[in-house]
Every structure is written in structure tokens, then in C-alpha cells.
Amino acid sequence: MFTQEELLTALGDPYTKEVVPRFHRFAYVSDALIDRLAEQALAEVWGRQRYVLEKYIAVHVPWSIEQGRFTCSDRQFYVTAGHLQTRYGTPIYLVFERNRVPGTSPYALVRVGADIAAPALPTPPDIPSAPVIPRGAEIVMLHDHILGDNAERVPYLADTPRVAQMCAVAGSIQWSLNRGLELPYWYYGKMSVLVPLYLQTRENITEAPDLVAPLQVNADSLLVRTVLLPSMPYANARVAVTRHDRLPPWMLAGWHAHAASATSQQIEDPEAPQAASAPASAEADPGGL
């Protein structure tokens, strides 16, 4: 049998930006099973090497374990593939066993499917709620990073004084919050908030914003760590909703346009400094079963 304590110990610290490597240290997952999961689930654009899908299960499987939403037999444990379903609305399950290859991940994914044989079927984990934004919270910006390191993302503010730039970003954040345009956003082991920034036009909020801003919600302030292009935070926003169509159309369109060029590093940590896209390289296979 498998205990929650055992599985949590194997998962390790949840507060990491390297979510997929953390999950690979927990369980061996073959490319073939990732492909099978993508084939069985409702069609989505998962990006190069289906890395967004890997990140999705790398977040949702730990949630299942943390919330006790797993079942087990004497040699296997079972979780749902997050909230993924087949085109017929049937939940998809993941089956894990102990890894028999010495010196590798302690567990291995051995089956993906909607028709597994388990003593009891697990239920999907609850997606944690985004933090409530306190009324009257001060907007605090890491301006050197937002308007200095990433100045190429806001070229239309290049000739604007620094204080005016900060006021423009802060005002755009408040405008979006007043209209309830914020989105749930998962980052560094916890839920946060993502806010679209309409800096050049606000005539149609169904169209893509100029930028999006991840907010760290504190007791009396909103910390703006960086600003991102609309396609950048897709993977982190995707794990925070039950289905991809729950995301705004502009985010889906932006992701579809850039999915083929986004690297695993950019998907893993969208807030890190972005290097030029390079061909994705396959990770070494650690072996399983």
C-alpha cells in the first residue's frame, strides 16, 4: 500500500520553479504515455514536446496527493489526470507503480486511460482558489525589472518619463481589476493573480492586451514582479482552470500563435529573463520499470 506521507516525502518541496523536473524525480513518465494522454484528452495545443501537458500533470498529481485524492491497491496507486476528460466527458486516470530500476525515480507511470481497473476510482483535485485582492491595496512595482530589463515589451513608453511609465502600468492594473478581468495564475507553488494591461487602447477587452502582469497579493499591497507578453503565462494559467476554454479567447489565440516556438525553459518559468528561442532538446531518459 501507499501512504500519503510516503508520497509527499517523495515529491519534495512544492515551492519550486522547476515543476516538471521535480515531477520527474518523483516518477518516471515515458514520452509514449504523455502522447497517449494527449490523444485521449479533449484536443488542446500542448506546445513542443507536449511540455505544457507535462507541466499540467506535474502540478495536478501533487495536488491530488496533497488533498488525499488518490486510491491504491497493494502495488499501484491511482489519480486522475487533473481535470482532463475524453471527448465523451469521461475522466482520464493515471496509474503508478513502484519503479523497479535502481537509482531512478521511486515511482513510474505505467498506464493512462479512462477504463482502468482499480479497487476504487479517485476524484479530481480541487484547484486552489486565487487570493482575494484586498480593497484599497497599494500597487507596488519592481520598476527596474518591469521598465528596464523588459523595456522592449513596452516600446510605446520609451519616451515617457519613468514616473509616468509606472503610473501608466499601475493605472492599467487598477482599470482591469475594477472590471474583474483578473485571472487565476499558478506560480512557484501557489496560486496568484494575472491581470491584463490595456495600455494603448481599451475599446475592446476581448482582444489581446498589450501585456499581462502577475500580481503577488499581500495583506495590504499588490506586488508587480514583471510584465509579460500575453502568450507567456499560458501554461501557468492553464493549470488553474478545469478546461482550456475557460481561459479568455485572447490568451488561447496568443498561445496558439506562439506554441510552436516556446521552449521548455520559457514554459517552465515564464517570469525568468527570456532568451531567444532555440530548438528544444530532449531530456535524458532516467529509465523506468
Side-chain angles (χ1 to χ4, degrees):
M1 298 292 286
F2 302 81
T3 67
Q4 185 180 40
E5 180 180 7
E6 170 196 339
L7 297 177
L8 288 175
T9 299
L11 278 169
D13 190 356
Y15 296 102
T16 176
K17 297 175 183 177
E18 297 184 346
V19 180
V20 175
R22 176 201 182 211
F23 187 62
H24 284 173
R25 290 191 293 270
F26 172 77
Y28 169 75
V29 179
S30 69
D31 292 342
L33 286 179
I34 289 293
D35 290 342
R36 187 175 304 172
L37 177 58
E39 291 165 1
Q40 292 194 13
L42 284 171
E44 294 189 39
V45 177
W46 295 113
R48 294 160 66 180
Q49 299 180 335
R50 306 194 196 279
Y51 201 82
V52 173
L53 178 56
E54 281 205 71
K55 185 167 187 176
Y56 179 87
I57 64 170
V59 174
H60 278 259
V61 170
W63 279 348
S64 291
I65 294 170
E66 291 164 5
Q67 297 173 23
R69 301 288 180 87
F70 65 94
T71 62
C72 57
S73 63
D74 58 343
R75 65 184 187 88
Q76 295 178 329
F77 74 88
Y78 317 93
V79 296
T80 63
H83 291 259
L84 297 182
Q85 298 182 345
T86 69
R87 64 181 59 87
Y88 304 111
T90 307
I92 301 174
Y93 302 98
L94 308 178
V95 181
F96 293 85
E97 292 183 1
R98 298 190 191 281
N99 196 341
R100 296 190 295 270
V101 178
T104 59
S105 308
Y107 309 103
L109 180 66
V110 297
R111 188 175 179 190
V112 169
D115 58 348
I116 65 169
L121 293 175
T123 56
D126 293 329
I127 296 175
S129 299
V132 177
I133 297 176
R135 294 178 62 86
E138 179 184 6
I139 298 174
V140 180
M141 290 188 288
L142 301 180
H143 53 83
D144 287 338
H145 181 54
I146 295 172
L147 302 170
D149 298 341
N150 297 313
E152 76 282 356
R153 298 176 188 170
V154 284
Y156 38 84
L157 296 180
D159 297 326
T160 306
R162 180 59 60 89
V163 172
Q165 291 177 344
M166 294 171 61
C167 289
V169 173
S172 182
I173 291 171
Q174 192 62 61
W175 187 86
S176 290
L177 292 177
N178 288 344
R179 284 151 186 81
L181 302 182
E182 66 271 17
L183 307 170
Y185 171 75
W186 182 91
Y187 185 71
Y188 202 65
K190 62 183 180 180
M191 294 297 294
S192 188
V193 175
L194 194 69
V195 178
L197 305 184
Y198 292 92
L199 293 163
Q200 299 186 86
T201 179
R202 295 173 182 172
E203 295 178 0
N204 187 350
I205 58 175
T206 65
E207 293 184 355
D210 299 293
L211 300 165
V212 290
L215 303 184
Q216 178 179 313
V217 180
N218 303 312
D220 58 357
S221 66
L222 304 175
L223 177 64
V224 187
R225 297 184 296 264
T226 187
V227 291
L228 307 173
L229 297 175
S231 63
M232 289 180 174
Y234 175 78
N236 289 41
R238 175 63 186 92
V239 302
V241 293
T242 55
R243 292 199 315 265
H244 67 291
D245 61 316
R246 300 288 175 88
L247 295 170
W250 58 259
M251 177 170 279
L252 291 171
W255 167 246
H256 291 173
H258 293 88
S261 61
T263 67
S264 59
Q265 292 81 8
Q266 291 165 347
I267 294 169
E268 190 71 69
D269 185 4
E271 297 189 26
Q274 300 291 301
S277 296
S281 58
E283 294 187 11
D285 189 336
L289 289 184

